[in-house]
Amino acid sequence: MNTQDYDENEKHNDDNETTETDEELDRAELIEKTGEVISHNAKHLIHCLTIIGQVEGHYVLPSQNKTTKYEHIMPSLVAIEQDRTIEGLVIILNTVGGDVEAGLAIAELIAGMKTPTVSLVVGGGHSIGVPLAVSAMKSFIVPSATMTIHPVRMNGLVLGVPQTLSYFDKMQDRIVNFVTAKSGISEENFRSLMMQTGELVMDVGTVVDGEKAVELGLIDRLGGLSDAIECLYELIEQSDEKYPDNDKTEEKQ
């Protein structure tokens, strides 16, 4: 090997190392900014999306709050759905709730995906976290997790007029219809849990643990991370290729 060939090989190795370092930095930045992870050395290529803290909507929350920003999540879901190398999506939920419309918008996007999706509730899936949990194709919850079901509420100045009450009713109906359509709980049971008194000290509603959530039909299965991943792999292997290329020859005929 002459000196020129040696120098070219060294340069090629340096380029490879630089590329790998850049990719590692990109992955670290993705985790830091959005909490998203893509696992490459796995049986199937899946994307992990975390919804934590409070779902931030149209108003910026204080800096000390842990938030999930809907303007980050929504484009990420669009990118995941388009990317044919990503075979599945696992959604890890530990949220206290947040903006109702923002949370419902994220839930609707997840529910409308062709990409196989599985949700896992750990810690808590409260308030608008309930529609987010049931939006996936299959939902899991760990035994120690809890979910709070309560009516729609609004902070700040509220006009005491009939139109405001009508708006609350319509918003609540949107949530009830979505949850009952995407889970096994009946509308009657869900509304009963939502309006129960005596369960919460300063509010109306119900707190259910993991086992009770499955018993009610709100969540599909009781299980942990390995159970959720195994279920997602099964969904991937049973599903068809998403957005396959059209055969131009057949189209012309």
Side-chain angles (χ1 to χ4, degrees), residues 15-179:
D15 289 342
N16 286 340
E17 289 177 3
T18 303
T19 303
E20 290 175 1
T21 304
D22 289 342
E23 289 178 354
E24 288 176 2
L25 289 172
D26 289 341
R27 285 197 291 269
E29 186 178 2
L30 186 68
I31 295 170
E32 182 180 353
K33 286 188 175 180
T34 64
E36 297 176 46
V37 182
I38 302 173
S39 54
H40 293 281
N41 186 21
K43 182 179 179 182
H44 294 287
L45 181 60
I46 66 171
H47 190 107
C48 175
L49 183 70
T50 56
I51 298 177
I52 60 170
Q54 194 165 348
V55 178
E56 187 178 88
H58 304 303
Y59 298 96
V60 178
L61 295 171
S63 58
Q64 68 268 22
N65 288 29
K66 283 282 187 181
T67 61
T68 296
K69 299 179 184 295
Y70 83 119
E71 69 268 25
H72 290 169
I73 298 295
M74 295 173 84
S76 295
L77 292 172
V78 175
I80 293 164
E81 179 69 358
Q82 290 185 88
D83 192 340
R84 290 182 294 183
T85 63
I86 297 175
E87 299 174 85
L89 173 66
V90 59
I91 304 144
I92 309 296
L93 285 145
N94 186 11
T95 176
V96 296
D99 189 283
V100 174
E101 287 198 337
L104 200 55
I106 295 170
E108 287 283 12
L109 282 180
I110 295 171
M113 296 175 74
K114 284 187 177 181
T115 305
T117 55
V118 167
S119 65
L120 174 63
V121 180
V122 293
H126 307 298
S127 191
I128 198 62
V130 176
L132 287 166
V134 304
S135 63
M137 294 177 184
K138 291 291 180 182
S139 57
F140 285 78
I141 188 170
V142 298
S144 63
T146 58
M147 306 183 80
T148 303
I149 304 163
H150 62 70
V152 173
R153 301 171 305 189
M154 183 176 289
N155 295 326
L157 180 65
V158 177
L159 295 177
V161 294
Q163 290 88 337
T164 301
L165 298 176
S166 176
Y167 172 78
F168 280 169
D169 283 339
K170 289 176 181 177
M171 179 66 74
Q172 197 157 291
D173 286 343
R174 289 163 63 187
I175 294 171
V176 171
N177 292 338
F178 182 88
V179 172

